[in-house]
Amino acid sequence: MKLLFILDPLHTLTVYKDTSLAIMRAAQARGHHLYVCEQHDWHLQREIALVDAQPFNFDDNGWVVGDKTTHAPTVFDAVLMRKDPPFDNEYLYSTYLLELAQQQGARIINDPASIRGWNEKLSVARFPQFTPPFIVTSQRDKILAFLAEHGDIIVKPLDGMGGSGIFRLRKDDPNIFAILETLTQFETQTIMVQRYIPEIVKGDKRILIINGEPLPYALARIPKAGETRGNLAAGGKGVAQPLSDRDREIAETVGKTLKQHSLFLVGLDVIGDYLTEVNVTSPTGMVEIAAQSREWAVPCDPAKVMVEALEKGIAG
C-alpha cells in the first residue's frame, strides 16, 4: 500500500511514544510505502483536490524525508488524518478539502464528515446509557444549579485536548465564578459540565477501537498526586490493563456505531463505568499498550492491528 499521513510538523512529534509514528513503523515493517504531509499542504485547483506530499522512510538514524511533490489523493491507498486538535477553523477547512478529495475517489481515514460531526465531548450524548450526568451550556446559572445538585463536578471546553482547560469544582470552591467566567468567556462560550467520577483515581481509561472492534487492553491514565486529570499530557501515568466487562460492553456497543460512520480509529475515554469522551481526531496510547503487554500471555501491538485492519479493509 501507499499510505499518506497528515501530521503535525515532524519535529514536534514525541518520537518515543507517538502513535502516528508507531502506525507508520508497523506499516513500513510490513512493506508498505509511506508519505507525509501537513494540513496546509492540501489545496484545490478549481474543483480538484491535490496534496503536496513527501516520501518518508525510517532508517537507523531516525527517518529520511524526500522532496515534496504534488499528487492526486487517489494515488494513495489510504490517507490517514492524524493532525492533533485543537479543532479550529483551519482544522474545519481541512475536513472540507478532505471531503472533496473523498468525493473524487480518495480513501480518507477517519471519514472527514464524521470527524466534523463527532465533537469529542458532545458525542457521548449519542450513548446516554453509558454517560454520567452532564449538561452542555454557556449559562452560569445552569452550571451553578448542576453544581448544587451534584456537589462535585468537572467543567471543560468542547475543543480541548490533553486535559487542557479542565477544572474540578466543588460547592465551597472560592474560584467558581472566576473559572466559569474564563471557561464560558462571560457566558458566550459553550462548555461541558459532568458529575465528578471518583473512580478517576483508578485511571481515565483509553480504549482503542479499530474498524469497530475494541482492543483487548485499555490504557488507564492515572492522575499524579494532587491532580484531577489523568491525561498523559497532564502528568498522568499510563497503565495497560485488560478491559473489564463494563468496558467491553461500552466499547462493543459504541464500536458498531463508529463503524457505521466510517470512523476507523477511535479512542474512547472511560472513567469507572462511564463513557466521558469519544476521540475521533488523533487518538493515542498505542505505544504504551504495546510496551506493557509484551511480557503478558497475550501481548497486543495496536499499531500492527491497525495496519492489518487497513490491509484487510483495502483488499476487501
Side-chain angles (χ1 to χ4, degrees):
M1 299 186 295
K2 291 176 67 174
L3 302 175
L4 173 62
F5 289 77
I6 307 172
L7 304 172
D8 288 292
L10 288 172
H11 73 273
T12 69
L13 304 182
T14 306
V15 176
Y16 72 92
K17 69 171 186 175
D18 187 85
T19 287
S20 297
L21 293 176
I23 297 169
M24 293 164 69
R25 286 191 186 93
Q28 180 172 305
R30 295 177 67 82
H32 303 304
H33 303 284
L34 308 178
Y35 292 77
V36 296
C37 69
E38 297 179 28
Q39 65 177 357
H40 293 121
D41 289 318
W42 288 80
H43 54 282
L44 293 180
Q45 289 191 4
R46 294 181 62 87
E47 77 281 13
I48 304 301
L50 297 169
V51 59
D52 299 330
Q54 298 170 275
F56 178 104
N57 189 65
F58 290 101
D59 65 12
D60 293 338
N61 297 315
W63 58 67
V64 176
V65 180
D67 294 334
K68 186 179 290 187
T69 54
T70 301
H71 302 265
T74 50
V75 306
F76 302 102
D77 293 288
V79 176
L80 290 87
M81 178 49 155
R82 292 287 303 171
K83 168 74 177 69
D84 278 344
F87 198 107
D88 54 14
N89 280 342
E90 285 302 308
Y91 202 115
L92 178 66
Y93 303 150
S94 293
T95 68
Y96 291 141
L97 293 177
L98 291 172
E99 190 172 16
L100 286 169
Q102 184 182 60
Q103 292 168 0
Q104 292 162 18
R107 184 190 296 265
I108 311 295
I109 297 171
N110 287 325
D111 179 84
S114 292
I115 290 178
R116 200 164 59 238
W118 283 65
N119 176 273
E120 299 192 326
K121 310 298 190 291
L122 285 173
S123 292
V124 300
R126 299 172 184 258
F127 309 98
Q129 70 271 39
F130 298 133
T131 63
F134 72 92
I135 61 172
V136 176
T137 183
S138 63
Q139 298 177 39
R140 186 181 71 179
D141 289 348
K142 286 184 170 56
I143 300 171
L144 293 176
F146 189 85
L147 175 58
E149 178 183 359
H150 296 285
D152 199 349
I153 64 174
I154 295 292
V155 291
K156 54 187 175 182
L158 296 178
D159 61 352
M161 67 165 290
S164 63
I166 294 178
F167 293 88
R168 178 183 179 185
L169 294 179
R170 285 169 278 201
K171 291 180 181 180
D172 58 351
D173 194 315
N175 298 305
I176 289 173
F177 293 104
I179 289 171
L180 295 184
E181 287 170 2
T182 300
L183 278 185
T184 68
Q185 295 292 295
F186 294 93
E187 300 187 284
T188 65
Q189 188 79 30
T190 303
I191 66 171
M192 172 166 274
V193 186
Q194 292 175 329
R195 188 187 71 193
Y196 175 72
I197 306 170
E199 289 83 359
I200 183 61
V201 298
K202 298 179 181 179
D204 181 352
K205 294 172 283 189
R206 167 59 54 83
I207 302 173
L208 292 171
I209 310 290
I210 297 176
N211 200 24
E213 298 293 331
L215 293 181
Y217 302 112
L219 185 70
R221 296 160 298 171
I222 300 172
K224 64 182 181 181
E227 176 63 82
T228 298
R229 303 166 299 171
N231 308 76
L232 299 183
K237 176 184 178 182
V239 177
Q241 60 187 43
L243 299 188
S244 69
D245 290 342
R246 176 65 168 179
D247 293 339
R248 188 169 296 280
E249 178 189 6
I250 293 172
E252 290 178 350
T253 302
V254 176
K256 292 176 183 177
T257 301
L258 296 173
K259 187 171 183 177
Q260 292 169 0
H261 288 263
S262 299
L263 289 165
F264 195 90
L265 174 60
V266 177
L268 306 183
D269 288 351
V270 174
I271 301 174
D273 290 335
Y274 297 103
L275 176 68
T276 61
E277 292 189 18
V278 180
N279 296 275
V280 301
T281 50
S282 58
T284 61
M286 287 190 176
V287 175
E288 293 87 349
I289 292 173
Q292 294 184 38
S293 71
R294 277 193 196 113
E295 306 303 321
W296 297 356
V298 184
C300 178
D301 184 345
K304 182 179 178 182
V305 173
M306 172 73 180
V307 174
E308 290 174 344
L310 278 174
E311 293 169 346
K312 183 177 179 181
I314 290 171

